[in-house]
């Protein structure tokens, strides 16, 4: 039975009803006389280890919302928080910490007023995070990218001027002439229609409905189990974004499904890698084998990206990336590496090379995927390294990495290498 709470109850009276049950807490979370103490208490209340989603939503909308509630629940509820006038006041007063601002600036729910303000005079770190926001318009994004490149070049110039090591100078000069733009995926949440050619040709990650036809059937394992798609990428579109001539057609990468107990220990796992020529993309679609693709439900037991909500993606530019130097690989002392990094990356967090998926940039040397990515590509400035992502399978605690490299010769010939590993 729900406790009766009157509209004219005072704060003192409301305190007597805190955490009786979820139903009563919802009434408190919506009551105009509830203060921050009450809201903090009811938002944190759990039954069998679980919070009440409706209570939290009401707290996020309440005019007496606290910084504590925003810190705990704002990152996954920016649609609620960003429209609360109290949040704007707390923001102006400087009570929202930098980690929360990072999430807000990357969220599609970020208010336009904040986007415009940060774009105009937000500082390097905030502008860097704003570039990750898919709703930033092309004009603002273009200006932010110009700023990002200018700051990168200025930093490299300073580092070149201040280093006495000829090896470091050569490294930095090569880097200065070949800045690498990075693109991150934005997931398209509308469902894929298996009989729609445009949907089937879209860029996709981890699961979905890649293009298949009688000439290019859905791959199967030796035991005739349908394989899981890891990647479908339009080479012409990717090449335009990266300023590289990668050829035409679509590139696909497949692995055995979890049912087949994926073997990817060590740096070289098994993948099926193919490029379907543009001329073959007008063939009639093959749809019968799609019934075997059990991962399409995107359940936890199948491989997936941790932040993935859809298989289909668009790519947005988020700035320019510096490779992480690894002392043994690059022949530099730890002091030289530290000086280089500090001069070029002031006030920027270290997550740039640790995104779940990225198009362009450099391999993340120095990560847990060192065996996969330590292949000498990081200093091969004339080659196009264009796709890297890390994936995981929760049911088996399997962590995997895929790196796809485009090697471009002086005569324009393109070849691709794909490495897949896990532990």
């Amino acid at each position: 039975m729900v406790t009766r709470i009157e509209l004219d109850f005072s704060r003192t009276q409301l305190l007597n009803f805190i955490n009786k049950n979820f139903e009563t807490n919802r009434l408190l979370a919506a009551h105009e006389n509830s203060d921050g103490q009450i809201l903090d208490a009811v938002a944190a209340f759990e039954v069998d280890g679980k919070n009440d989603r409706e209570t939290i939503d009401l707290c996020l909308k309440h005019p007496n919302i606290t910084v504590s509630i925003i810190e705990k629940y704002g990152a996954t509820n920016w649609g609620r928080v960003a429209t609360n006038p109290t949040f704007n006041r707390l923001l102006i007063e400087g009570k929202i910490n930098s980690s929360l601002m990072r999430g807000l600036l990357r969220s599609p729910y970020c208010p336009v007023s904040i986007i415009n303000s940060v774009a105009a005079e937000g500082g390097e770190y905030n502008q860097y995070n704003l570039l990750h926001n898919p709703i930033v318009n092309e004009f603002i994004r273009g200006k932010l990218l110009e700023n990002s490149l200018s700051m990168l070049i200025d930093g490299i110039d300073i580092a070149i001027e201040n280093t006495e090591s000829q090896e470091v100078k050569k490294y930095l000069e090569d880097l200065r002439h070949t800045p690498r733009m990075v693109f991150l995926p934005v997931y398209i949440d509308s469902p894929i229609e298996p009989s729609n050619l445009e949907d089937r040709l879209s860029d996709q990650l981890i699961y979905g409905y890649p293009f298949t036809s009688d000439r290019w059937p859905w791959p199967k394992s030796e035991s005739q189990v349908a394989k899981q798609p890891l990647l479908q990428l339009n080479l012409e579109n990717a090449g335009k974004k990266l300023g590289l001539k990668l050829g035409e057609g679509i590139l696909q990468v497949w692995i055995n499904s979890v049912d087949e107990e994926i073997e990817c220990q060590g740096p070289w796992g098994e993948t099926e890698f193919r490029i379907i020529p543009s001329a073959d993309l007008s063939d009639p679609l093959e749809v019968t084998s799609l019934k075997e693709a059990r991962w399409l439900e995107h359940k936890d037991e199948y491989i997936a990206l941790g932040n993935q909500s859809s298989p289909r993606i668009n790519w947005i530019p988020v700035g320019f990336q510096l490779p992480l130097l690894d002392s043994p690989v690059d022949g530099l002392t730890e002091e030289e590496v530290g000086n280089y990094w500090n001069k070029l990356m002031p006030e920027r967090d270290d997550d740039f090379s640790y995104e779940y998926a990225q198009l362009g940039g450099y391999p993340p040397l120095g990560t847990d995927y060192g065996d996969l990515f330590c292949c000498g590509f990081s200093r091969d400035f004339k080659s196009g390294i264009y796709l890297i992502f890390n994936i995981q399978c929760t049911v088996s605690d399997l962590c995997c990495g895929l790196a796809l490299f485009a090697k471009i010769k002086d005569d324009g010939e393109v070849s691709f290498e794909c490495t897949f590993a896990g532990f």
Side-chain angles (χ1 to χ4, degrees):
M1 183 175 179
V2 179
T3 303
R4 184 176 179 84
I5 296 179
E6 301 294 342
L7 293 176
D8 61 352
F9 274 10
S10 67
R11 172 191 176 277
T12 302
Q13 290 174 298
L14 295 176
L15 287 172
N16 297 319
F17 299 98
I18 290 177
N19 294 342
K20 300 294 184 183
N21 50 55
F22 283 149
E23 290 78 9
T24 302
N25 278 356
R26 291 169 193 163
L27 297 176
L28 294 173
H31 202 284
E32 64 178 14
N33 290 332
S34 289
D35 64 359
Q37 179 185 351
I38 294 174
L39 296 178
D40 283 341
V42 300
F45 181 64
E46 296 180 352
V47 173
D48 296 329
K50 294 183 179 180
N51 298 98
D52 180 49
R53 182 73 266 162
E54 187 176 341
T55 300
I56 293 173
D57 284 345
L58 290 168
C59 289
L60 292 172
K61 293 188 295 184
H62 200 284
N64 291 328
I65 186 174
T66 66
V67 172
S68 174
I69 290 175
I70 295 172
E71 290 177 344
K72 289 181 180 178
Y73 311 109
T76 55
N77 293 275
W78 284 121
R80 295 273 191 208
V81 177
T83 57
N84 189 327
T86 302
F87 171 72
N88 290 328
R89 176 176 58 77
L90 295 171
L91 193 62
I92 293 171
E93 293 174 354
K95 295 181 179 179
I96 305 301
N97 63 42
S98 59
S99 62
L100 272 177
M101 279 299 297
R102 174 184 181 276
L104 174 64
L105 293 174
R106 295 182 178 209
S107 168
Y109 298 105
C110 185
V112 174
S113 59
I114 294 177
I115 291 176
N116 292 338
S117 174
V118 169
E121 50 186 28
E124 178 185 359
Y125 178 75
N126 283 338
Q127 290 185 354
Y128 159 70
N129 285 312
L130 190 59
L131 275 167
H132 290 64
N133 195 321
I135 69 169
V136 170
N137 64 50
E138 291 186 10
F139 176 78
I140 290 179
R141 187 174 297 278
K143 291 294 184 183
L144 293 175
L145 289 172
E146 287 179 10
N147 293 342
S148 176
L149 180 59
S150 177
M151 286 185 287
L152 174 66
I153 298 300
D154 288 347
I156 292 176
D157 286 343
I158 293 172
I160 291 174
E161 182 179 349
N162 290 311
T163 184
E164 297 180 358
S165 168
Q166 292 304 309
E167 184 175 5
V168 177
K169 283 183 183 292
K170 178 62 170 62
Y171 186 95
L172 296 175
E173 287 167 354
D174 286 344
L175 180 63
R176 190 188 192 286
H177 290 96
T178 315
R180 294 220 181 250
M181 186 176 289
V182 176
F183 296 78
L184 297 184
V186 174
Y187 301 107
I188 304 171
D189 287 332
S190 59
I192 298 176
E193 173 51 57
S195 61
N196 184 294
L197 180 61
E198 183 178 354
D199 284 0
R200 296 284 298 278
L201 290 176
S202 61
D203 283 2
Q204 300 175 33
L205 282 178
I206 309 300
Y207 67 106
Y209 290 122
F211 176 87
T212 55
S213 64
D214 289 340
R215 198 179 332 197
W216 297 93
W218 194 288
K220 293 186 177 182
S221 67
E222 292 182 0
S223 55
Q224 296 304 300
V225 175
K227 291 190 174 184
Q228 175 166 350
L230 277 188
L231 166 70
Q232 177 165 283
L233 186 71
N234 184 297
L235 291 176
E236 185 175 8
N237 289 342
K240 286 179 179 178
K241 290 183 179 299
L242 298 173
L244 301 170
K245 293 183 179 180
L246 299 177
E248 298 181 348
I250 59 174
L251 181 149
Q252 295 179 339
V253 180
W254 308 75
I255 58 171
N256 287 344
S257 71
V258 173
D259 297 344
E260 295 286 283
E261 296 184 356
I262 295 170
E263 293 292 338
C264 61
Q265 298 294 326
W268 314 112
E270 293 186 3
T271 61
E272 181 164 344
F273 170 85
R274 68 188 188 185
I275 297 175
I276 303 177
S278 297
D280 294 352
L281 299 178
S282 58
D283 288 358
L285 293 169
E286 187 273 327
V287 297
T288 55
S289 64
L290 302 181
K291 296 178 182 179
E292 300 181 59
R294 291 177 290 280
W295 52 84
L296 291 174
E297 299 178 7
H298 197 201
K299 293 181 179 178
D300 286 343
E301 62 262 29
Y302 296 109
I303 287 179
L305 286 170
N307 62 344
Q308 187 170 12
S309 59
S310 166
R312 287 197 298 163
I313 53 173
N314 287 324
W315 298 99
I316 61 169
V318 297
F320 298 84
Q321 181 190 2
L322 290 171
L324 294 178
L325 291 180
D326 185 79
S327 297
V329 173
D330 298 306
L332 307 177
T333 67
E334 289 188 7
E335 183 179 1
E336 286 173 325
V337 172
N339 290 340
Y340 163 85
W341 194 246
N342 290 335
K343 289 172 182 175
L344 296 187
M345 300 293 284
E347 300 182 14
R348 179 173 287 183
D349 58 5
D350 61 358
D351 72 343
F352 202 98
S353 298
Y354 295 87
E355 304 290 353
Y356 280 110
Q358 66 181 60
L359 175 69
Y362 297 89
L365 296 178
T367 71
D368 292 336
Y369 300 93
D371 288 341
L372 176 65
F373 298 119
C374 275
C375 303
F377 288 101
S378 65
R379 297 184 314 286
D380 189 355
F381 293 101
K382 294 181 180 179
S383 296
I385 307 170
Y386 73 90
L387 187 85
I388 301 165
F389 63 89
N390 303 328
I391 55 182
Q392 60 185 4
C393 176
T394 56
V395 73
S396 62
D397 292 327
L398 177 68
C399 295
C400 309
L402 175 74
L404 194 59
F405 306 103
K407 299 284 288 183
I408 305 174
K409 295 183 179 180
D410 291 338
D411 62 3
E413 180 184 348
V414 183
S415 62
F416 296 94
E417 296 182 19
C418 177
T419 65
F420 174 62
F423 52 87

